[in-house]
Amino acid sequence: MTARHPYVAVVGGGIGGLALALGLRRQGIEAVVHEQAPGLAHAGAGIAIGANGHRVLRELGVAEPLAATAVRPLRADFRHWRTGRSMVAHRLADTYEQRFGAPFWTVERAAVQQALLTALGPRHVRLGARCTGVEQTADAAVIRFADGSTAEADAVVGADGIHSAVRHSVFGPDEAVFSGTSGYRALVPMERLRHIPELAEPVLWLWFGPGRHFIAYPVAAGRLLNFLAVVPDRNWTVESWSAQGDPAVLRAAFAGWHPFVTEILDAAEHPGRWALYDREPQRTWSTGRVTLLGDAAHAMLPHHGQGANQALEDAVTLARLLARTDAGRAASALRAYERLRRPRTRLLQAGSRKNAGCFQLPDGPEADARNARLATLPDDLAWIHGHDALGALHTTAPEPV
């Protein structure tokens, strides 16, 4: 009897879950995404896609349609919070692409999600399916849903975010780690910002100051400016893409900052606000026929700009490993995936935590030392952006057995 490929059930319809399902189907493997929301609302604002993530989008066949609205910033410019002095700037665009073999993009999260969904096809996504638990039998993994239905698969992948129901069901309860900070996000039409001359060029702006920082970059073919403003607040613990922040409170948090920052904040009418959490690295992601992907496996703070990129790397790695095996040996592919991905994501989790403090130093010797280190940033981050998930799979991944 001919062995067959595993049938895979993916829990979670974000970027990681959709990328995995698309990657699997491109390898000839049946996969269905189970998403708890009644519709894919495309929450969030802008994200940065490094060369490591872009290689995955190219592999999945969605880089070309995204190129129409993605922005290639000319440089990353690090600025002093009050004076506006450029502490250091690094070329991106062609310089970055020549070094790392793929471009650096800033793009709307919704655009990436929609491109993946279009390529996958909506019939492979089941909406309104809230997972309440996962069980395993000798031959399959079974997902239970809130409506009483179940779904059986040869492998189940929890791509359902930092508060993953799959992780909770399989590995037991654990606590997300609150950073003591929250992030405000908004997309501001560029037409409201024409009086800021610096925005005439596509640039990744990073402003560092005492206790807070501000990052901004264009998306949507330059029609919108995305910003992330991170502030300390141990009382705001709402971790939600849809929670609204008070514009007056946001502006007050950046009082005294350079007009570039304050004028952008003045133009933001309805900023979203969410508490920033991560998790301690998991001891293991996989057990039997169940594994985790993206934030469900390795939630990290947004201070490396790598959350979506790492979910994409996870997705293409797992898809290729599952394509190498058959239904009866799916568990071995999941173990191989975890062995390959855990060391890299642990380093990124730790680095993202460390950056939170580095970005928010008060003026003084520590900030001066940080600014000096910024000069070597392209070399320091080469291990992140230069990574080729498929290349790593070919050279170091053990074959499933």
Short mmCIF file of all heavy atoms in Angstrom, two decimals, residues 323-373:
data_model
loop_
_atom_site.label_atom_id
_atom_site.label_comp_id
_atom_site.label_asym_id
_atom_site.label_seq_id
_atom_site.Cartn_x
_atom_site.Cartn_y
_atom_site.Cartn_z
N ALA A 323 6.73 17.42 4.10
CA ALA A 323 6.70 16.89 2.74
C ALA A 323 7.68 15.73 2.55
O ALA A 323 7.55 14.96 1.59
CB ALA A 323 7.02 18.00 1.74
N ARG A 324 8.63 15.60 3.46
CA ARG A 324 9.62 14.53 3.36
C ARG A 324 9.15 13.21 3.96
O ARG A 324 9.83 12.19 3.84
CB ARG A 324 10.90 14.93 4.09
CG ARG A 324 11.68 16.06 3.47
CD ARG A 324 12.93 16.30 4.31
NE ARG A 324 13.74 17.40 3.78
CZ ARG A 324 14.87 17.79 4.34
NH1 ARG A 324 15.32 17.19 5.44
NH2 ARG A 324 15.56 18.79 3.81
N THR A 325 8.02 13.24 4.63
CA THR A 325 7.61 12.06 5.39
C THR A 325 6.22 11.62 4.97
O THR A 325 5.60 12.17 4.07
CB THR A 325 7.69 12.36 6.90
OG1 THR A 325 7.55 11.15 7.63
CG2 THR A 325 6.60 13.33 7.33
N ASP A 326 5.72 10.60 5.65
CA ASP A 326 4.36 10.14 5.38
C ASP A 326 3.52 10.29 6.64
O ASP A 326 4.01 10.67 7.70
CB ASP A 326 4.37 8.69 4.89
CG ASP A 326 5.05 7.73 5.86
OD1 ASP A 326 4.75 7.80 7.08
OD2 ASP A 326 5.87 6.91 5.41
N ALA A 327 2.24 9.97 6.51
CA ALA A 327 1.30 10.20 7.61
C ALA A 327 1.71 9.48 8.89
O ALA A 327 1.55 10.01 9.99
CB ALA A 327 -0.10 9.78 7.19
N GLY A 328 2.24 8.29 8.75
CA GLY A 328 2.59 7.52 9.94
C GLY A 328 3.79 8.04 10.70
O GLY A 328 3.99 7.70 11.86
N ARG A 329 4.60 8.88 10.03
CA ARG A 329 5.80 9.39 10.68
C ARG A 329 5.77 10.90 10.86
O ARG A 329 6.82 11.55 10.97
CB ARG A 329 7.03 8.99 9.86
CG ARG A 329 7.23 7.48 9.75
CD ARG A 329 8.53 7.15 9.03
NE ARG A 329 8.50 7.62 7.65
CZ ARG A 329 9.57 7.64 6.85
NH1 ARG A 329 10.74 7.24 7.32
NH2 ARG A 329 9.46 8.06 5.60
N ALA A 330 4.58 11.48 10.90
CA ALA A 330 4.45 12.93 11.04
C ALA A 330 5.12 13.44 12.31
O ALA A 330 5.73 14.52 12.32
CB ALA A 330 2.97 13.32 11.03
N ALA A 331 5.02 12.68 13.40
CA ALA A 331 5.60 13.14 14.67
C ALA A 331 7.10 13.37 14.55
O ALA A 331 7.65 14.29 15.18
CB ALA A 331 5.29 12.14 15.78
N SER A 332 7.79 12.54 13.76
CA SER A 332 9.23 12.71 13.62
C SER A 332 9.56 14.00 12.89
O SER A 332 10.57 14.66 13.18
CB SER A 332 9.85 11.51 12.92
OG SER A 332 9.39 11.42 11.58
N ALA A 333 8.71 14.40 11.91
CA ALA A 333 8.91 15.67 11.22
C ALA A 333 8.73 16.84 12.17
O ALA A 333 9.47 17.83 12.10
CB ALA A 333 7.94 15.78 10.05
N LEU A 334 7.77 16.75 13.08
CA LEU A 334 7.54 17.82 14.04
C LEU A 334 8.73 17.96 14.99
O LEU A 334 9.14 19.07 15.35
CB LEU A 334 6.26 17.57 14.84
CG LEU A 334 4.97 17.35 14.04
CD1 LEU A 334 3.77 17.36 14.98
CD2 LEU A 334 4.81 18.39 12.94
N ARG A 335 9.31 16.84 15.40
CA ARG A 335 10.49 16.90 16.27
C ARG A 335 11.68 17.51 15.53
O ARG A 335 12.44 18.29 16.10
CB ARG A 335 10.83 15.50 16.79
CG ARG A 335 9.82 14.92 17.76
CD ARG A 335 10.38 13.70 18.49
NE ARG A 335 10.78 12.64 17.57
CZ ARG A 335 9.96 11.67 17.16
NH1 ARG A 335 8.68 11.67 17.57
NH2 ARG A 335 10.37 10.71 16.35
N ALA A 336 11.86 17.14 14.27
CA ALA A 336 12.96 17.70 13.49
C ALA A 336 12.80 19.21 13.32
O ALA A 336 13.77 19.97 13.40
CB ALA A 336 13.03 17.02 12.13
N TYR A 337 11.58 19.65 13.07
CA TYR A 337 11.28 21.09 12.96
C TYR A 337 11.67 21.83 14.24
O TYR A 337 12.33 22.87 14.19
CB TYR A 337 9.79 21.24 12.64
CG TYR A 337 9.12 22.50 13.10
CD1 TYR A 337 9.36 23.71 12.46
CD2 TYR A 337 8.22 22.47 14.17
CE1 TYR A 337 8.71 24.87 12.88
CE2 TYR A 337 7.57 23.61 14.58
CZ TYR A 337 7.82 24.82 13.94
OH TYR A 337 7.19 25.95 14.35
N GLU A 338 11.26 21.28 15.37
CA GLU A 338 11.58 21.94 16.64
C GLU A 338 13.09 22.00 16.86
O GLU A 338 13.63 23.03 17.29
CB GLU A 338 10.90 21.21 17.79
CG GLU A 338 11.21 21.84 19.14
CD GLU A 338 10.64 21.06 20.30
OE1 GLU A 338 9.64 20.35 20.11
OE2 GLU A 338 11.21 21.16 21.40
N ARG A 339 13.79 20.93 16.60
CA ARG A 339 15.24 20.93 16.81
C ARG A 339 15.94 21.98 15.96
O ARG A 339 16.91 22.59 16.39
CB ARG A 339 15.81 19.54 16.48
CG ARG A 339 15.54 18.49 17.53
CD ARG A 339 16.46 17.28 17.35
NE ARG A 339 16.26 16.61 16.07
CZ ARG A 339 15.39 15.63 15.87
NH1 ARG A 339 14.60 15.22 16.86
NH2 ARG A 339 15.27 15.06 14.68
N LEU A 340 15.43 22.19 14.76
CA LEU A 340 16.05 23.16 13.87
C LEU A 340 15.72 24.60 14.25
O LEU A 340 16.57 25.48 14.15
CB LEU A 340 15.59 22.88 12.43
CG LEU A 340 16.21 23.75 11.33
CD1 LEU A 340 17.72 23.61 11.33
CD2 LEU A 340 15.65 23.36 9.98
N ARG A 341 14.51 24.85 14.68
CA ARG A 341 14.04 26.23 14.88
C ARG A 341 14.25 26.78 16.29
O ARG A 341 14.40 28.00 16.45
CB ARG A 341 12.54 26.30 14.53
CG ARG A 341 12.22 26.03 13.09
CD ARG A 341 12.76 27.12 12.17
NE ARG A 341 12.20 28.41 12.56
CZ ARG A 341 12.81 29.58 12.40
NH1 ARG A 341 14.02 29.64 11.87
NH2 ARG A 341 12.23 30.70 12.79
N ARG A 342 14.27 25.95 17.31
CA ARG A 342 14.30 26.48 18.68
C ARG A 342 15.54 27.31 18.99
O ARG A 342 15.42 28.38 19.60
CB ARG A 342 14.18 25.34 19.71
CG ARG A 342 12.74 24.99 20.04
CD ARG A 342 12.66 23.96 21.17
NE ARG A 342 12.98 24.54 22.44
CZ ARG A 342 13.92 24.12 23.28
NH1 ARG A 342 14.70 23.12 22.95
NH2 ARG A 342 14.11 24.70 24.43
N PRO A 343 16.75 26.90 18.64
CA PRO A 343 17.92 27.71 19.02
C PRO A 343 17.86 29.14 18.47
O PRO A 343 18.20 30.09 19.18
CB PRO A 343 19.09 26.92 18.45
CG PRO A 343 18.60 25.51 18.35
CD PRO A 343 17.15 25.63 17.99
N ARG A 344 17.47 29.28 17.24
CA ARG A 344 17.42 30.62 16.63
C ARG A 344 16.35 31.50 17.28
O ARG A 344 16.61 32.67 17.60
CB ARG A 344 17.14 30.47 15.13
CG ARG A 344 16.98 31.77 14.37
CD ARG A 344 17.00 31.49 12.87
NE ARG A 344 16.56 32.63 12.08
CZ ARG A 344 17.31 33.68 11.76
NH1 ARG A 344 18.56 33.76 12.22
NH2 ARG A 344 16.84 34.66 11.02
N THR A 345 15.18 30.97 17.49
CA THR A 345 14.10 31.78 18.06
C THR A 345 14.37 32.13 19.52
O THR A 345 13.97 33.20 19.98
CB THR A 345 12.75 31.09 17.90
OG1 THR A 345 12.78 29.81 18.54
CG2 THR A 345 12.39 30.92 16.43
N ARG A 346 15.04 31.26 20.25
CA ARG A 346 15.41 31.61 21.64
C ARG A 346 16.32 32.82 21.67
O ARG A 346 16.16 33.72 22.53
CB ARG A 346 16.10 30.41 22.32
CG ARG A 346 15.18 29.28 22.72
CD ARG A 346 15.97 28.09 23.22
NE ARG A 346 16.61 28.39 24.49
CZ ARG A 346 16.08 28.12 25.69
NH1 ARG A 346 14.89 27.55 25.76
NH2 ARG A 346 16.72 28.40 26.79
N LEU A 347 17.29 32.88 20.77
CA LEU A 347 18.20 34.03 20.71
C LEU A 347 17.43 35.30 20.38
O LEU A 347 17.70 36.38 20.93
CB LEU A 347 19.29 33.78 19.68
CG LEU A 347 20.37 32.76 20.04
CD1 LEU A 347 21.30 32.53 18.86
CD2 LEU A 347 21.17 33.23 21.26
N LEU A 348 16.47 35.20 19.48
CA LEU A 348 15.70 36.38 19.11
C LEU A 348 14.76 36.83 20.22
O LEU A 348 14.55 38.03 20.43
CB LEU A 348 14.91 36.10 17.83
CG LEU A 348 15.77 36.21 16.57
CD1 LEU A 348 15.15 35.46 15.42
CD2 LEU A 348 15.99 37.67 16.21
N GLN A 349 14.20 35.89 20.97
CA GLN A 349 13.40 36.27 22.13
C GLN A 349 14.24 37.06 23.13
O GLN A 349 13.82 38.10 23.63
CB GLN A 349 12.82 35.02 22.80
CG GLN A 349 11.65 34.39 22.08
CD GLN A 349 11.16 33.15 22.80
OE1 GLN A 349 11.84 32.13 22.83
NE2 GLN A 349 9.97 33.23 23.38
N ALA A 350 15.43 36.55 23.42
CA ALA A 350 16.30 37.22 24.39
C ALA A 350 16.75 38.59 23.87
O ALA A 350 16.78 39.58 24.61
CB ALA A 350 17.51 36.34 24.69
N GLY A 351 17.10 38.66 22.58
CA GLY A 351 17.54 39.93 22.02
C GLY A 351 16.45 40.98 22.00
O GLY A 351 16.71 42.16 22.23
N SER A 352 15.22 40.56 21.75
CA SER A 352 14.11 41.51 21.74
C SER A 352 13.88 42.10 23.13
O SER A 352 13.58 43.28 23.27
CB SER A 352 12.84 40.82 21.23
OG SER A 352 13.00 40.43 19.89
N ARG A 353 14.01 41.27 24.15
CA ARG A 353 13.90 41.79 25.53
C ARG A 353 15.01 42.79 25.83
O ARG A 353 14.79 43.85 26.40
CB ARG A 353 13.98 40.64 26.52
CG ARG A 353 12.70 39.90 26.73
CD ARG A 353 12.82 38.94 27.90
NE ARG A 353 11.60 38.18 28.11
CZ ARG A 353 11.45 37.29 29.07
NH1 ARG A 353 12.46 37.02 29.90
NH2 ARG A 353 10.30 36.63 29.21
N LYS A 354 16.22 42.46 25.42
CA LYS A 354 17.36 43.32 25.70
C LYS A 354 17.22 44.67 25.00
O LYS A 354 17.54 45.72 25.56
CB LYS A 354 18.65 42.63 25.26
CG LYS A 354 19.92 43.42 25.56
CD LYS A 354 21.15 42.64 25.13
CE LYS A 354 22.42 43.43 25.41
NZ LYS A 354 23.62 42.69 24.95
N ASN A 355 16.73 44.65 23.78
CA ASN A 355 16.58 45.89 23.03
C ASN A 355 15.61 46.86 23.68
O ASN A 355 15.75 48.07 23.54
CB ASN A 355 16.11 45.59 21.60
CG ASN A 355 17.23 45.16 20.70
OD1 ASN A 355 18.40 45.22 21.07
ND2 ASN A 355 16.90 44.70 19.51
N ALA A 356 14.62 46.35 24.40
CA ALA A 356 13.65 47.23 25.04
C ALA A 356 14.36 48.23 25.94
O ALA A 356 14.04 49.43 25.94
CB ALA A 356 12.65 46.41 25.84
N GLY A 357 15.33 47.76 26.71
CA GLY A 357 16.08 48.66 27.59
C GLY A 357 17.03 49.56 26.82
O GLY A 357 17.14 50.76 27.12
N CYS A 358 17.69 49.01 25.80
CA CYS A 358 18.65 49.80 25.02
C CYS A 358 17.98 50.95 24.29
O CYS A 358 18.56 52.03 24.14
CB CYS A 358 19.36 48.91 24.02
SG CYS A 358 20.48 47.69 24.75
N PHE A 359 16.76 50.74 23.83
CA PHE A 359 16.06 51.77 23.07
C PHE A 359 15.62 52.95 23.95
O PHE A 359 15.32 54.01 23.42
CB PHE A 359 14.81 51.19 22.41
CG PHE A 359 15.08 50.24 21.26
CD1 PHE A 359 14.02 49.60 20.64
CD2 PHE A 359 16.36 49.99 20.82
CE1 PHE A 359 14.24 48.73 19.58
CE2 PHE A 359 16.59 49.11 19.77
CZ PHE A 359 15.54 48.48 19.15
N GLN A 360 15.56 52.74 25.26
CA GLN A 360 14.90 53.72 26.12
C GLN A 360 15.83 54.26 27.21
O GLN A 360 15.39 54.63 28.30
CB GLN A 360 13.66 53.09 26.75
CG GLN A 360 12.66 52.62 25.71
CD GLN A 360 11.33 52.20 26.30
OE1 GLN A 360 11.18 52.08 27.50
NE2 GLN A 360 10.35 51.96 25.45
N LEU A 361 17.11 54.34 26.92
CA LEU A 361 18.08 54.84 27.90
C LEU A 361 18.00 56.36 28.01
O LEU A 361 17.79 57.06 27.02
CB LEU A 361 19.50 54.45 27.48
CG LEU A 361 19.82 52.96 27.51
CD1 LEU A 361 21.18 52.72 26.85
CD2 LEU A 361 19.83 52.44 28.95
N PRO A 362 18.17 56.91 29.21
CA PRO A 362 18.27 58.36 29.34
C PRO A 362 19.59 58.86 28.76
O PRO A 362 20.55 58.11 28.64
CB PRO A 362 18.21 58.57 30.87
CG PRO A 362 18.74 57.30 31.44
CD PRO A 362 18.30 56.20 30.50
N ASP A 363 19.62 60.13 28.42
CA ASP A 363 20.86 60.71 27.92
C ASP A 363 21.96 60.53 28.95
O ASP A 363 21.75 60.71 30.16
CB ASP A 363 20.67 62.20 27.63
CG ASP A 363 19.74 62.45 26.45
OD1 ASP A 363 19.48 61.50 25.70
OD2 ASP A 363 19.28 63.59 26.29
N GLY A 364 23.15 60.17 28.48
CA GLY A 364 24.27 59.96 29.39
C GLY A 364 25.23 58.92 28.83
O GLY A 364 25.14 58.53 27.66
N PRO A 365 26.15 58.45 29.66
CA PRO A 365 27.19 57.53 29.18
C PRO A 365 26.64 56.24 28.57
O PRO A 365 27.17 55.76 27.57
CB PRO A 365 28.02 57.24 30.45
CG PRO A 365 27.78 58.41 31.33
CD PRO A 365 26.38 58.86 31.07
N GLU A 366 25.58 55.67 29.17
CA GLU A 366 25.04 54.43 28.62
C GLU A 366 24.44 54.65 27.24
O GLU A 366 24.63 53.84 26.32
CB GLU A 366 23.98 53.84 29.56
CG GLU A 366 24.53 53.18 30.80
CD GLU A 366 23.43 52.48 31.57
OE1 GLU A 366 22.65 53.17 32.26
OE2 GLU A 366 23.34 51.24 31.47
N ALA A 367 23.74 55.77 27.07
CA ALA A 367 23.17 56.07 25.76
C ALA A 367 24.28 56.35 24.75
O ALA A 367 24.18 55.95 23.58
CB ALA A 367 22.22 57.26 25.86
N ASP A 368 25.34 57.02 25.18
CA ASP A 368 26.46 57.29 24.27
C ASP A 368 27.11 55.98 23.82
O ASP A 368 27.47 55.83 22.64
CB ASP A 368 27.50 58.17 24.97
CG ASP A 368 26.98 59.58 25.24
OD1 ASP A 368 25.99 59.98 24.60
OD2 ASP A 368 27.57 60.27 26.11
N ALA A 369 27.26 55.04 24.75
CA ALA A 369 27.85 53.74 24.39
C ALA A 369 26.94 52.99 23.42
O ALA A 369 27.42 52.35 22.47
CB ALA A 369 28.10 52.92 25.65
N ARG A 370 25.64 53.04 23.66
CA ARG A 370 24.70 52.40 22.73
C ARG A 370 24.81 53.02 21.34
O ARG A 370 24.86 52.32 20.34
CB ARG A 370 23.27 52.56 23.24
CG ARG A 370 22.21 52.03 22.27
CD ARG A 370 20.87 52.72 22.48
NE ARG A 370 20.95 54.16 22.26
CZ ARG A 370 20.11 55.03 22.78
NH1 ARG A 370 19.13 54.63 23.57
NH2 ARG A 370 20.24 56.34 22.52
N ASN A 371 24.88 54.34 21.30
CA ASN A 371 24.95 55.02 20.01
C ASN A 371 26.22 54.64 19.25
O ASN A 371 26.21 54.51 18.02
CB ASN A 371 24.89 56.53 20.21
CG ASN A 371 23.57 56.99 20.83
OD1 ASN A 371 22.59 56.24 20.83
ND2 ASN A 371 23.55 58.19 21.37
N ALA A 372 27.30 54.44 19.98
CA ALA A 372 28.54 54.00 19.33
C ALA A 372 28.38 52.60 18.75
O ALA A 372 28.89 52.30 17.67
CB ALA A 372 29.70 54.05 20.33
N ARG A 373 27.63 51.75 19.46
CA ARG A 373 27.42 50.38 18.97
C ARG A 373 26.54 50.35 17.73
O ARG A 373 26.61 49.41 16.93
CB ARG A 373 26.80 49.51 20.06
CG ARG A 373 27.71 49.23 21.25
CD ARG A 373 27.17 48.11 22.11
NE ARG A 373 25.86 48.39 22.66
CZ ARG A 373 25.63 49.02 23.82
NH1 ARG A 373 26.67 49.45 24.55
NH2 ARG A 373 24.41 49.22 24.27
#
